[in-house]
Amino acid sequence: MNVLSRRVVALFLLSLLTACSQQIARQTCVPLTGEAQYCLSPTSTVLTDAQHQDINLTQMVNFTRGQDSHELLTQLELNPQRMTLVGLAPFGQALFTLVYDGQTLQSEQSLLLGGQFKAEYLMAIMQLIYWPTEQVNQQLSGGKLIAKTCNMALCKQLVDDNGALITLTYNNIDPWLAQVNIDIDAADIHLQINPIE
């Protein structure tokens, strides 16, 4: 098969993958632990606090649960009106797109992910990582996010009313530049998020 034929086949397969997606209206509040629930926060105050007009961040996300491990690329875009999170498979296939306008959360995701995949959890985790602690706590019920001393540049813990933990560690004091590790003890989940320059 020549190069042109391969490209035509690749474009055809990509169009099939993008056609096999579904639109889903998502909940803007998600349970993070047995007791703690987080409701997404608008982007306007974060951009003011960060002294940015717009933020575009490409990341490699490694997800481990028990013995299973997965990898995906994300593109996080913030402007005063909306937060957009796009997930791509390592070979570039679109897996999901989430758009949060401060009121509603719209999702388009590939049918390949199945009905159990809930990308809004990843968007909530992104806000835990990048939003100021006090703003997260305004949107959090049944728990509290606190800064902790540790041997990394920055550490935070979300502790719920029953003592369940989500731990966030950063290798840079500026979260937007940091490699971030997230451990969700109760679910045996570990995430490592690396910005890509």
Side-chain angles (χ1 to χ4, degrees):
M1 188 181 290
N2 65 30
V3 173
L4 181 58
S5 298
R6 283 189 206 138
R7 287 185 181 164
V8 169
V9 169
L11 286 173
F12 175 72
L13 291 174
L14 184 58
S15 68
L16 283 178
L17 282 174
T18 56
C20 296
S21 65
Q22 55 187 339
Q23 289 278 115
I24 304 167
R26 297 289 190 181
Q27 298 297 317
T28 58
C29 295
V30 296
L32 295 176
T33 66
E35 295 294 318
Q37 177 170 283
Y38 180 74
C39 295
L40 295 175
S41 175
T43 60
S44 53
T45 55
V46 172
L47 293 174
T48 302
D49 291 344
Q51 298 180 345
H52 291 96
Q53 290 296 338
D54 295 321
I55 292 173
N56 291 300
L57 186 62
T58 303
Q59 304 157 303
M60 177 62 72
V61 178
N62 294 296
F63 172 88
T64 306
R65 182 173 188 192
Q67 299 299 316
D68 294 332
S69 185
H70 303 280
E71 193 174 76
L72 66 116
L73 287 170
T74 61
Q75 179 69 33
L76 177 63
E77 297 177 6
L78 303 173
N79 64 45
Q81 293 77 37
R82 73 183 48 88
M83 176 179 187
T84 303
L85 181 63
V86 178
L88 303 169
F91 293 112
Q93 303 100 322
L95 296 174
F96 62 84
T97 301
L98 289 170
V99 180
Y100 178 58
D101 65 6
Q103 301 292 322
T104 60
L105 178 60
Q106 293 296 319
S107 169
E108 183 174 323
Q109 75 180 41
S110 168
L111 295 174
L112 297 173
L113 292 173
Q116 299 300 312
F117 181 78
K118 296 188 178 354
E120 64 267 30
Y121 281 88
L122 186 55
M123 183 171 270
I125 293 292
M126 293 292 180
Q127 289 198 0
L128 286 184
I129 293 169
Y130 299 114
W131 269 225
T133 302
E134 55 279 1
Q135 187 173 350
V136 168
N137 283 324
Q138 291 173 10
Q139 302 296 114
L140 192 60
S141 60
K144 187 170 185 177
L145 185 66
I146 55 175
K148 300 285 286 185
T149 56
C150 65
N151 60 355
M152 299 289 287
L154 178 64
C155 294
K156 297 180 183 181
Q157 279 188 331
L158 188 156
V159 183
D160 80 5
D161 291 345
N162 285 336
L165 295 177
I166 296 177
T167 304
L168 299 93
T169 57
Y170 305 73
N171 72 350
N172 190 310
I173 196 70
D174 183 346
W176 300 101
L177 302 176
Q179 173 186 296
V180 185
N181 287 286
I182 303 101
D183 289 294
I184 305 172
D185 294 343
D188 191 24
I189 291 174
H190 174 78
L191 292 165
Q192 184 178 83
I193 300 177
N194 289 290
I196 297 172
E197 308 237 354

